[in-house]
Amino acid sequence: RRRQPEAEPRELGGERLVLPVESCALIEDAVHGIEAARGAGMASIALTGTATRDELRDADRVVETLRELSPAAVADLIKSRSN
């Protein structure tokens, strides 16, 4: 099984969107993806399923379903990281 990419591709994605990485959030279901998001300086949202809530605890937020998220909730999470 291939490991998740490092932070660089995620940083590049933010650059292509012309957004600073600090204004981005990454939704990920793997521990390595959460680590890459944090390494890139992005907010990290973990989706349980392939990893447990405990394994994903380093994320800024852990959810069991995408229905727990809204654009406003993601924006609030990003804002809270910059305070």
Side-chain angles (χ1 to χ4, degrees):
R1 182 175 160 182
R2 201 178 119 176
R3 292 181 64 126
Q4 289 288 329
E6 298 300 319
E8 185 179 323
R10 287 161 170 79
E11 291 170 353
L12 182 60
E15 289 173 9
R16 288 190 177 159
L17 291 172
V18 192
L19 294 170
V21 293
E22 299 83 19
S23 296
C24 298
L26 180 70
I27 301 171
E28 199 28 271
D29 67 346
V31 173
H32 295 294
I34 295 300
E35 291 169 354
R38 293 176 60 84
M42 296 178 179
S44 57
I45 301 170
L47 179 64
T48 62
T50 58
T52 66
R53 180 174 286 276
D54 187 56
E55 291 171 319
L56 298 167
R57 69 184 170 276
D58 289 336
D60 294 306
R61 181 164 177 194
V62 180
V63 298
E64 293 186 23
T65 174
L66 293 177
R67 293 178 191 259
E68 295 177 49
L69 298 175
S70 67
V74 175
D76 288 345
L77 175 64
I78 292 168
K79 282 185 219 171
S80 73
R81 289 176 40 87
S82 65
N83 294 334

